[in-house]
Amino acid sequence: MSTTSGTAATGATTISPVPTGATAKGVTATGTTSPRPVATGTTLPRPVGTGTTPPRPPDAVVLSVRTFPADREFLVGATRTVLDAAARLGTRVLVVGGAGALHSPGDPDLPVAENPAYVPDEYRAVALAGTAQLRTCEAHADADWVYLSPPAVLEPGERTGRYRRGTDTLLMDSDGGRSWISAEDLAVAVVDEVENPGAERHITVVHLPST
């Protein structure tokens, strides 16, 4: 399997860089948080072929871009560019987005982006930009995509390989009721979804304590 990854950041309540070099089952995920937009668009790289056989496109693309301060126009434009290119190549796109696009637990009509219990005012614009990114995916008629929302808190920690998977509602762990995951385990969840994709278009994960 060939996989192309972009830059990664959370867009959740706590913003921490995803560690570089996180690997699982032969796939590498890299990530940094950019304080400002670093490009006006994103294109999928094409391998350089030495013969007459056309190069094979990647099986999957991992797109994870976040800016702080929020730049909704840049985020939506970069996402649409990747979806357009992936659709032409027949490549699946896994978008690592933000927790703000999820529904609040116990109140499905309240988006996490608008819930002060999870998103303080200083991060609200970032969370709302992530919601706009999800809407961009939903509006794309041709791309094969999945949008992965992290939990409310993403922070450096231990790679345990344990997490619980859900769909479009914010999850809490069973040990203290926190909505969090380590950046290392989020990277594992990304690779798992790339290698064994589910049927849902919008998914989330949360830390799973050991028993």
Side-chain angles (χ1 to χ4, degrees), residues 170-195:
L170 190 75
L171 296 176
M172 302 292 176
D173 71 15
S174 58
D175 185 15
R178 292 183 64 208
S179 179
W180 78 283
I181 197 169
S182 70
E184 291 82 355
D185 278 343
L186 182 68
V188 172
V190 167
V191 174
D192 287 348
E193 180 64 25
V194 168
E195 295 187 336

Side-chain angles (χ1 to χ4, degrees), residues 5 7 15 18 32 53 60 68 85 87 89 94 101 129-130 137 152 157 160 201 203 205 209:
S5 67
T7 58
I15 299 182
V18 173
T32 57
T53 303
F68 189 84
L89 295 173
L94 191 158
C137 294
T160 68
R201 283 290 183 93
I203 61 175
V205 292

Side-chain angles (χ1 to χ4, degrees), residues 4-7 39-46 57-65 73-96 133 136-137 140 142-146:
T4 301
S5 67
T7 58
T40 56
T42 306
T43 58
L44 298 183
R46 290 179 174 272
D59 298 300
V61 171
V62 176
L63 172 67
S64 189
V65 178
E73 182 179 356
F74 168 77
L75 182 62
V76 166
T79 302
R80 186 180 295 116
T81 297
V82 171
L83 293 173
D84 288 345
R88 290 194 298 269
L89 295 173
T91 296
R92 189 167 187 258
V93 180
L94 191 158
V95 180
V96 182
Q133 183 185 38
T136 300
C137 294
H140 203 287
D142 302 318
D144 179 12
W145 58 269
V146 59

Side-chain angles (χ1 to χ4, degrees), residues 10 12-13 98-99 102 149-154 170-171 179-181 186 204-207:
T10 70
T13 300
L102 295 166
S149 287
V153 176
L154 174 63
L170 190 75
L171 296 176
S179 179
W180 78 283
I181 197 169
L186 182 68
T204 188
V205 292
V206 73
H207 170 71

